[in-house]
Amino acid sequence: MTQREENGGHMPDMADCGEVYDSLFEFLDGEATPERRAVLRAHIEACPGCFAQLGIEEEIRELMRRCCCAHAPVTLREKIILRLRVERYRG
């Protein structure tokens, strides 16, 4: 029996898809430790589904950078701040 078979189809020290999805923003934002980043990268490179998800997230980030450079109107920001304060007071 191979190491992969002994570990339910995963190599030791490899992340599973759920773990990768949960850590994708940490990975993309550069907040993961070098060791954690290596584990996530190894899984992403070996898993077509996670590789595709990473590509989608990268595309969304690029689209947001290009399209969302304008500042929100002052009145909108004030409404959001007021709403957050009301929710914080209730909660």
Side-chain angles (χ1 to χ4, degrees):
M1 183 176 279
T2 67
Q3 277 187 313
R4 183 180 296 271
E5 292 167 333
E6 289 173 1
N7 290 295
H10 296 285
M11 290 298 290
D13 299 326
M14 291 277 291
D16 63 24
C17 294
E19 193 177 342
V20 170
Y21 289 142
D22 290 344
S23 301
L24 202 52
F25 295 112
E26 177 185 350
F27 180 82
L28 287 169
D29 294 338
E31 296 174 356
T33 65
E35 296 82 16
R36 178 80 176 132
R37 199 167 170 72
V39 169
L40 294 170
R41 180 171 296 287
H43 178 91
I44 290 167
E45 289 175 354
C47 177
C50 290
F51 183 79
Q53 187 64 36
L54 175 65
I56 291 167
E57 293 297 335
E58 288 174 329
E59 287 180 31
I60 290 170
R61 285 173 178 237
E62 179 57 31
L63 181 62
M64 295 295 286
R65 271 192 288 276
R66 284 185 304 190
C67 297
C68 298
C69 17
H71 294 286
V74 173
T75 55
L76 176 61
R77 288 191 309 221
E78 289 171 349
K79 286 179 183 179
I80 292 170
I81 290 169
L82 178 61
R83 182 65 183 197
L84 289 170
R85 287 180 180 159
V86 167
E87 291 302 317
R88 189 177 312 144
Y89 179 76
R90 288 182 183 171

